[in-house]
Amino acid sequence: MTANRTGRTAGRIPGFRRHAAWLLVSPLLVFFIIFFVIPVGLLFVSSFNPQIIGQVGITSELTLDNYSRFFSRSNYMAAAGRSVLLAGVVSLVTLIIAYPMAFVIAKTEHPGRNTILLIIVLAAMQLDMVIRLYGMMVILGDNGLINQALRLVGLIHAETSARLMYNFGGVVAGLVQFALPFMILTLVGVIRRIDPSLEEAARSLGATRWRAFIRVILPASMPGILAGSLLVFALSISSYIVPALMGGFRVGVLPIHIFQQVAESARFQFGASIALILFLLSAGAVLVYLHVGSRRSGGLA
């Protein structure tokens, strides 16, 4: 009798655990549906509505005029290409700068030193993004610290200045400054999980420290490189405030066009179509990441 009762209880436990797991996940699912699936769905439908200036509501009339306008205008196509290029350049530059710092943090075993290094990384995230960008404007502006130093040493004339802002390079600098902590924190977790015995085995077989890093550590940290690059790419391609302040609205990217269509022209339907194209570009980056990640992990592509 006791054995039967024990068997019935054991049979109920897995089912209970499954239900408990769904209960734990349900708040996230509800949040995801309300604040992501529904808004994106409304955005999708609105992008196919005829353009009516000042009207936000969704109608039953559908048209492709908004997308025809986007793909027939060279400035919007150029903005799409510029957004992808900008995000790609920022991801690469951020990775090059972040990896050495992440490697040092991951390999630092002293708790105090490790804490100090993490505080240095996290300190930049404690200030509002606008404040951080205005700080960069003080450094990179026409009369900023860098231009003043260049004039002082005679590298540029007193009446001229190096163009460090309001161009593509200025936007890249602002986005790298913004995305750097995210890349570092992503890489630190992956590098810490790399088994030290792998490097020791490579060194024992005659590999130099540099060769062991290139052939062992770097490939083993590829999941962190891919995840961090994807995160930075998504943050960069969708950023509005950095191109607005560091680019001065002179670097035409898709978020700038979305703002102009929605906030300035009240063309909500066309702005929705641009936003959906931006979303598809970001989703395409995710698919590329999944494809590359599956190949790296030995999965089927």
Side-chain angles (χ1 to χ4, degrees), residues 75-148:
N75 59 328
Y76 297 126
M77 295 295 292
R82 192 178 297 111
S83 298
V84 175
L85 176 62
L86 177 66
V89 171
V90 171
S91 300
L92 179 61
V93 174
T94 305
L95 175 61
I96 294 173
I97 298 175
Y99 196 98
M101 183 66 175
F103 188 83
V104 171
I105 295 175
K107 296 299 182 181
T108 300
E109 298 180 356
H110 190 279
R113 296 171 187 168
N114 192 276
T115 301
I116 292 174
L117 292 174
L118 285 175
I119 289 176
I120 293 174
V121 174
L122 296 173
M125 303 177 69
Q126 305 307 310
L127 290 175
D128 181 74
M129 187 60 195
V130 176
I131 298 175
R132 291 156 60 185
L133 290 177
Y134 275 118
M136 290 194 67
M137 294 171 69
V138 172
I139 298 174
L140 302 177
D142 291 343
N143 293 315
L145 298 179
I146 293 180
N147 273 302
Q148 291 180 14

Side-chain angles (χ1 to χ4, degrees), residues 46-85:
S46 177
S47 67
F48 288 98
N49 286 158
Q51 183 172 269
I52 303 176
I53 298 178
Q55 179 175 319
V56 186
I58 296 175
T59 64
S60 59
E61 186 178 356
L62 303 179
T63 180
L64 293 175
D65 291 344
N66 296 319
Y67 292 97
S68 298
R69 180 184 178 188
F70 181 92
F71 290 107
S72 62
R73 303 287 181 88
S74 59
N75 59 328
Y76 297 126
M77 295 295 292
R82 192 178 297 111
S83 298
V84 175
L85 176 62

Side-chain angles (χ1 to χ4, degrees), residues 169-213:
V171 178
V172 170
L175 286 171
V176 168
Q177 185 268 150
F178 166 63
L180 200 57
F182 298 96
M183 179 70 82
I184 292 175
L185 295 177
T186 303
L187 289 171
V188 166
V190 175
I191 296 175
R192 278 179 175 170
R193 291 197 296 268
I194 299 175
D195 191 349
S197 63
L198 297 176
E199 183 179 4
E200 295 173 0
R203 295 295 303 278
S204 66
L205 293 174
T208 62
R209 186 178 296 274
W210 176 251
R211 188 173 180 82
F213 171 78

Side-chain angles (χ1 to χ4, degrees), residues 2-17:
T2 304
N4 292 335
R5 185 179 303 169
T6 304
R8 288 195 300 270
T9 304
R12 294 193 189 114
I13 290 177
F16 173 78
R17 289 177 177 174

